[in-house]
Amino acid sequence: DAGVIQSPRHEVTEMGQEVTLRCKPISGHNSLFWYRQTMMRGLELLIYFNNNVPIDDSGMPEDRFSAKMPNASFSTLKIQPSEPRDSAVYFCASSLTGGNQPQHFGDGTRLSIL
Amino acid sequence: RKEVEQDPGPFNVPEGATVAFNCTYSNSASQSFFWYRQDCRKEPKLLMSVYSSGNEDGRFTAQLNRASQYISLLIRDSKLSDSATYLCVVTPTDSWGKLQFGAGTQVVVTP
């Protein structure tokens, strides 16, 4: 079975550029989560969707970050303009709806902003 | 105070030994509990759910103590492949579906 698929796996770009991260959740999962992980701050929840609707975006750092989920099988996280402090590993995870449902993570996107 | 707290370690464990560590959570109404495992430069992976009565999965045993608000993980007969960071995860009742992750406990199993 296919797991959560993220692309790209690695991205290196210069500050000021737009960065778009992509995620395909596990088929049938109706909750999708975007996380950011750094050594300093650990794993942080940025935003999550339920049935394609953003439920909680309180973790989004600032207006430079935006996320969309146009359909049940695709989500994007966009950073515009990017800054060096955005460098991190970005994970997408999906789950069935419900607080007792574990989340399944993609491989992550390693983002470096120069 | 963090909502989920863990001893960062590292816990250095000889191969074959037993290691145990805890995680405390602040929201007494928390409903669901999990242990995830994260290898270096990899994604977190579900290790096991934690049930009220405690549960075991092979060499791994998880316990929940609601009165003291902590969960524990015990690893018996440690293998070199058990070296990883173990993340404690809690779901608060007022954040349905939104997991709260601890910072992780690092375990290093040595030959």
Side-chain angles (χ1 to χ4, degrees):
Chain A
D1 288 343
V4 176
I5 300 172
Q6 291 187 244
S7 64
R9 291 291 301 275
H10 303 270
E11 173 113 7
V12 180
T13 192
E14 293 186 346
M15 65 178 293
Q17 298 296 308
E18 179 179 290
V19 173
T20 300
L21 310 181
R22 297 173 177 79
C23 175
K24 177 179 168 55
I26 292 173
S27 178
H29 282 189
N30 43 17
S31 291
L32 183 140
F33 306 80
W34 282 102
Y35 291 89
R36 177 173 68 176
Q37 188 173 38
T38 61
M39 288 292 292
M40 292 297 292
R41 301 173 68 93
L43 196 63
E44 302 174 279
L45 177 66
L46 300 177
I47 184 171
Y48 78 97
F49 296 83
N50 189 51
N51 292 324
N52 312 339
V53 176
I55 303 300
D56 185 344
D57 65 354
S58 59
M60 295 286 263
E62 48 198 274
D63 291 345
R64 297 184 299 106
F65 286 69
S66 62
K68 294 182 180 179
M69 192 165 185
N71 57 62
S73 59
F74 183 66
S75 177
T76 59
L77 178 68
K78 188 173 292 187
I79 309 172
Q80 167 64 18
S82 58
E83 297 182 3
R85 61 192 167 121
D86 302 330
S87 298
V89 181
Y90 290 79
F91 289 108
C92 176
S94 71
S95 74
L96 296 169
T97 300
N100 63 345
Q101 298 297 326
Q103 294 175 15
H104 301 267
F105 284 72
D107 291 339
T109 294
R110 300 190 178 281
L111 178 63
S112 295
I113 308 297
L114 306 177
Chain B
R1 182 186 173 189
K2 292 181 182 177
E3 305 215 25
V4 180
E5 297 210 49
Q6 296 185 247
D7 181 341
F11 285 64
N12 294 298
V13 186
E15 193 174 7
T18 295
V19 61
F21 42 89
N22 295 339
C23 157
T24 58
Y25 59 94
S26 59
N27 187 340
S28 61
S30 296
Q31 286 281 350
S32 301
F33 308 88
F34 308 93
W35 282 106
Y36 278 68
R37 169 197 170 123
Q38 187 172 25
D39 294 292
C40 186
R41 302 180 69 81
K42 295 283 191 178
E43 76 277 18
K45 290 184 179 178
L46 177 67
L47 178 66
M48 58 196 302
S49 301
V50 185
Y51 303 121
S52 296
S53 55
N55 49 298
E56 195 173 298
D57 182 0
R59 299 180 293 107
F60 297 83
T61 301
Q63 295 281 352
L64 168 62
N65 185 317
R66 284 193 183 273
S68 301
Q69 295 181 209
Y70 72 86
I71 65 173
S72 64
L73 182 66
L74 181 145
I75 308 173
R76 287 186 302 277
D77 187 22
S78 298
K79 311 292 184 190
L80 295 177
S81 58
D82 295 333
S83 297
T85 297
Y86 292 84
L87 303 171
C88 171
V89 183
V90 174
T91 302
T93 52
D94 61 345
S95 300
W96 187 60
K98 178 180 173 182
L99 304 183
Q100 292 186 325
F101 283 80
T105 295
Q106 185 182 10
V107 172
V108 179
V109 182
T110 55

